[in-house]
Amino acid sequence: MKKAIDFLRSMRFGMILLVLVMLLGFAGSMIVQQREPMEYVRRYGEGAAKVILATGLDDVFSAPYFIAVLAALSVNLLLCSIVRFPKVRGAAGRLKKQAETCAMKENLTGGDAKKLGDFLKARGFKASEAQSRTVYIKHMAGFYGSFLTHLSFLLILAVGAAAVLTADVQDRIVMPGETIELDGGMRITVHSFAIEDETGRLDFTSDIEMTAPDGQTKRGEIRVNEPMTLSGCKVYQQTYGTAGAVRVSNLINGASEDMTLTEPCMLTLDGISGMFYNAVYPGYIEDEDGSITLITSSSGAYADPVYDVMSVAEGDMTAVLAFPGETLTIGDVSFTMLDPVSYPGLRIKETSRVLLGALYAVFVLMVAALYLCFFMAPVAVAVDETGYAVVSPKTQTGLMLDIAAVLETKPAEGGA
Amino acid sequence: MQILFFAVILAYFAAMMAQLVGAAMKKPAFVKAALGIFALAFAAHTVFTVWRGIAAARIPLANQFEFASGFAWSAAVLGLALYMKLKQDWVLTVSIPAAFLVASYAAFQPMEIRDLMPALRSTWFALHIGSATFSYAAFAIAGGLGVRYLMMLKKGADEKDTHMRQTDYMAYRLICLGFLLLTVVILSGAIWAEQAWSRWWSWDPKETWALITWIFYAIYLHQRMRMNWQGKRMAWFAVIAVVLVIFTFAGVNKLLPGLHSYAV
Ligand code: HEM
């Protein structure tokens, strides 16, 4: 049992798990992910596709074995950190004791002790006298570096997983002028949406207003990189689309209504004749002979929109290409094509603010901890008239080389 | 102004040749000349970068050309800074070729100034990409030091020699710096991705490869720290790791297109 626990908290097991994450990451980046089975057959052949699908390599990062590796890594780090923490706490005191009692490793001649002492003080070492020697100490906080690094990695896994799993995410299409209400009572109004800014540059901006259940409101523009947050609810400008817009007029009673159409549909009063809306296209190319080729996609605003519709009258269906401003009269109803309407697809995400704050904090902790590890290694130098010794849990090649340069000698082996 | 960039590459090349000849023939005058040309090339590269930033009205790190140019410039900064600290010629032997090779790669990328795509218009852009250029530069020079270490070993150098230990130690220190910066790249990238796409992490190929590289270096650090590996084995590690860095930097963009664009 003890052997098993020792292995579970060992660095060897940690490294094996890290190698596994690397290998699975490699597989997940080389094999396309989350596609239909036929896509794998097409790309890799039937045999390979079977293996990929059977082993879950088509969705590595959600596969149970991948989650298990991450969970095992967390357990490994946790056990390793718990076991090491008491050692870390005692280490600072031990380093000083060691420097007070260790044998001098290198000889010093007259005047060198002072030269070395001055050099160390200039480097920010703190001096203390003990047992007829001076002990210079620096960077005691560095003892916590690797402990905090591992802790922060563990916390990133744990808090990150909690933040992702507890977030409530929904995607909504909202037409300009429309207001939606979320389950919790938050209301979101889209006042307008523009694909391009005033200079014609692609910008994808929605002017939105959020109203929290407690009455707080916030209005502003959202675009990629600039979501808007109110009361823990964050709204992203996620996607966009362009819908057809048609004015339907009843020629008998004079009533009319403007309709926005996002998908194919039949517009009819009597259920028999009317207009079938297929799509609106961004533009077209007209050949010399007058034939028209439709442009089917555009990343910007629709420059020359064309409506692809069908006139349905008494069982006859006729395909028609119509332009904004044109009117089709079918029976007693007229259909006037209007300028298409661009609309945003919003992503609405609600995350616990505590978790969010904690996640940012552990990010900062990890960077600070690595800085402690790499640039603040604890070190003590014992100096007396006869010699000196460098004591540190890490190799101190840099310091040893610098001391050698100051004393103009060959450098010694660094660290204890 | 593109002509200035080609002049910079030529100057890096001239510095590299002067350094190689100086080192091979033990002619200090050549090494001095190499240092002078390298410093001049770096100054011209700085002028080019600032000019491009002004012309584009943004930080010039937005496409593969600009990023590679920034990477080469960072290698020159680190090389010169290290040289000033250590006053050792071998720092130049490694950092000048690193700057030259990366700048040459940049020259093969489309150079025209383009508008910043919406997904890149973010306050995180400078931190995320700026730290990536320095991180990659630190790893590249560490890899170069690894190559030098292995070559010296082959020529019969003793692993206990001061300059061998210095080379080994500097590679380790550069890897520490690169690792810290790569951590900043990954974490700032996660925050940025959450702002832009609402997801911290998408296992997009670029993210995945940055993580693979990061883990590889983490393993390097552990082997060095706990297993006390030094010298030859660490040199091999640093060299192999550069292959991962290059793949993350250039290979992923060419071979594994992913999410790093604002898709509809
Ligand atoms: C990706 C995850 C990890 C990262 C980023 C990481 C990072 C680090 C760093 C930066 C150091 C200090 C190295 C130096 O100062 O040169 C270190 C040391 C160490 N790591 Fe990790 N580590 C990770 C995972 C692990 C795992 C899974 C274990 C297994 C238990 C582990 C065990 C250790 C140990 C025992 C030390 C030596 C600490 C000391 O003596 O102070 N690490 N790690």
Side-chain angles (χ1 to χ4, degrees), chain A residues 14 18 76 80 84 146 150 370 394, chain B residues 172 214 222 225-226:
Chain A
L18 287 178
N76 169 263
C80 162
R84 292 181 52 77
S146 72
H150 296 98
L370 282 171
K394 286 202 171 174
Chain B
Y172 161 62
W214 188 74
H222 285 88
M225 170 95 206
R226 296 303 284 179

Side-chain angles (χ1 to χ4, degrees), chain B residues 213-226:
Chain B
T213 307
W214 188 74
I215 292 178
F216 196 81
Y217 280 109
I219 294 172
Y220 170 104
L221 291 169
H222 285 88
Q223 293 309 98
R224 185 160 191 121
M225 170 95 206
R226 296 303 284 179

Side-chain angles (χ1 to χ4, degrees), chain A residues 114-373:
Chain A
K114 175 156 181 356
K115 209 168 165 189
L116 180 54
D118 289 345
F119 164 75
L120 292 171
K121 278 190 202 146
R123 278 283 189 94
F125 281 77
K126 286 218 165 69
S128 64
E129 298 298 326
Q131 333 244 356
S132 73
R133 61 178 62 183
T134 311
V135 172
Y136 297 88
I137 282 190
K138 193 169 148 178
H139 290 160
M140 285 302 117
F143 271 115
Y144 293 94
S146 72
F147 172 75
L148 290 175
T149 302
H150 296 98
L151 182 70
S152 61
F153 186 67
L154 184 64
L155 287 174
I156 285 176
L157 288 178
V159 181
V164 169
L165 295 175
T166 59
D168 177 23
V169 182
Q170 48 181 307
D171 289 330
R172 301 283 287 265
I173 282 176
V174 188
M175 289 295 158
E178 196 186 339
T179 298
I180 55 165
E181 184 164 339
L182 308 182
D183 285 347
M186 175 73 76
R187 290 159 59 83
I188 300 166
T189 304
V190 173
H191 290 291
S192 65
F193 171 71
I195 292 178
E196 294 166 2
D197 67 12
E198 56 290 345
T199 65
R201 191 170 81 149
L202 288 180
D203 198 32
F204 311 102
T205 305
S206 294
D207 172 5
I208 67 162
E209 186 168 343
M210 297 172 75
T211 308
D214 62 6
Q216 272 190 79
T217 67
K218 195 170 176 183
R219 181 167 177 175
E221 289 186 341
I222 57 166
R223 52 176 70 79
V224 63
N225 286 315
E226 292 173 33
M228 192 157 101
T229 308
L230 183 69
S231 301
C233 177
K234 209 167 187 174
V235 183
Y236 296 83
Q237 169 57 52
Q238 193 75 4
T239 60
Y240 72 96
T242 301
V246 178
R247 176 165 302 146
V248 185
S249 307
N250 184 331
L251 299 178
I252 297 173
N253 63 14
S256 86
E257 190 181 343
D258 289 352
M259 306 184 108
T260 315
L261 311 169
T262 51
E263 41 192 58
C265 60
M266 176 76 180
L267 302 175
T268 173
L269 273 186
D270 58 10
I272 300 169
S273 57
M275 186 184 88
F276 187 83
Y277 167 83
N278 254 330
V280 60
Y281 291 101
Y284 61 94
I285 300 165
E286 193 168 353
D287 292 346
E288 279 164 14
D289 63 5
S291 67
I292 281 179
T293 310
L294 293 172
I295 296 171
T296 52
S297 69
S298 157
S299 58
Y302 283 17
D304 297 306
V306 187
Y307 282 87
D308 172 9
V309 296
M310 278 198 208
S311 147
V312 183
E314 289 158 14
D316 282 345
M317 300 218 286
T318 318
V320 179
L321 290 182
F323 301 95
E326 280 185 0
T327 300
L328 290 182
T329 303
I330 303 167
D332 294 332
V333 188
S334 78
F335 302 91
T336 305
M337 311 302 147
L338 305 175
D339 281 331
V341 179
S342 294
Y343 59 87
L346 303 181
R347 170 155 298 177
I348 300 154
K349 189 166 128 183
E350 290 174 88
T351 319
S352 146
R353 276 181 280 181
V354 175
L355 284 178
L356 215 55
L359 197 54
Y360 281 114
V362 291
F363 281 7
V364 173
L365 178 66
M366 177 174 259
V367 175
L370 282 171
Y371 186 82
L372 280 181
C373 261

Side-chain angles (χ1 to χ4, degrees), chain A residues 29 201 225 234 236 349 374, chain B residues 115 119 173 192 194 198 209:
Chain A
S29 67
R201 191 170 81 149
N225 286 315
K234 209 167 187 174
Y236 296 83
K349 189 166 128 183
F374 297 146
Chain B
D115 209 3
R173 297 305 287 158
W192 184 1
E194 205 271 340
S198 78
W209 274 88

